[in-house]
Amino acid sequence: MYFAILAYHAEGIVQSWSEEEDAALMTELLRINDRLVEEKSLGPAARLGPTSEAVTLRGKGDGMVIDGPFAETKEQFLGFYVVDFPDIDGAIAAARELQRANPTAVYEIRPILLYLPGAPLSTDGQS
């Protein structure tokens, strides 16, 4: 069964990390990523850009594009992992490992009801 592990963190804290601190954290998270890929338990994963660069589409018809998400929360949605485990216990174990690498983050584990893998994207982060 597929599960989404949604990563939340206070954006101000993440943006305050030095390049070295961020690189060290990413090295540890990518180690976990590589292991889950090797075990064939990890699907798509993404680290999202800052909410200051995001827009939200709201309303009927063509809708209206407005600046950023406006959630009343201390943490922002910063990225996600799609994992495949027989039950939620495997997804919780994976999220616990991610949290050990980044203990100040919050991880939400949610079942995926519809999974459409889409087309492979370029690996350089550009469309």
Side-chain angles (χ1 to χ4, degrees), residues 21-105:
E21 289 171 317
D22 189 67
L25 173 61
M26 288 308 298
T27 296
E28 182 63 18
L29 292 175
L30 289 172
R31 182 190 64 73
I32 297 165
N33 183 90
D34 291 347
R35 184 186 58 72
L36 291 171
V37 167
E38 188 176 303
E39 293 175 1
K40 300 191 183 325
S41 294
L42 183 65
R47 184 177 188 184
L48 303 177
T51 57
S52 61
E53 295 178 20
V55 297
T56 299
L57 177 64
R58 293 184 183 273
K60 296 179 181 177
D62 285 343
M64 180 184 353
V65 176
I66 58 175
D67 290 340
F70 290 102
E72 293 293 326
T73 180
K74 292 180 182 179
E75 292 118 3
Q76 289 76 39
F77 177 51
L78 298 183
F80 65 89
Y81 301 84
V82 174
V83 295
D84 184 13
F85 290 101
D87 56 41
I88 199 167
D89 293 333
I92 291 170
R96 282 188 172 135
E97 188 173 2
L98 293 166
Q99 190 170 34
R100 280 192 289 276
N102 189 4
T104 57

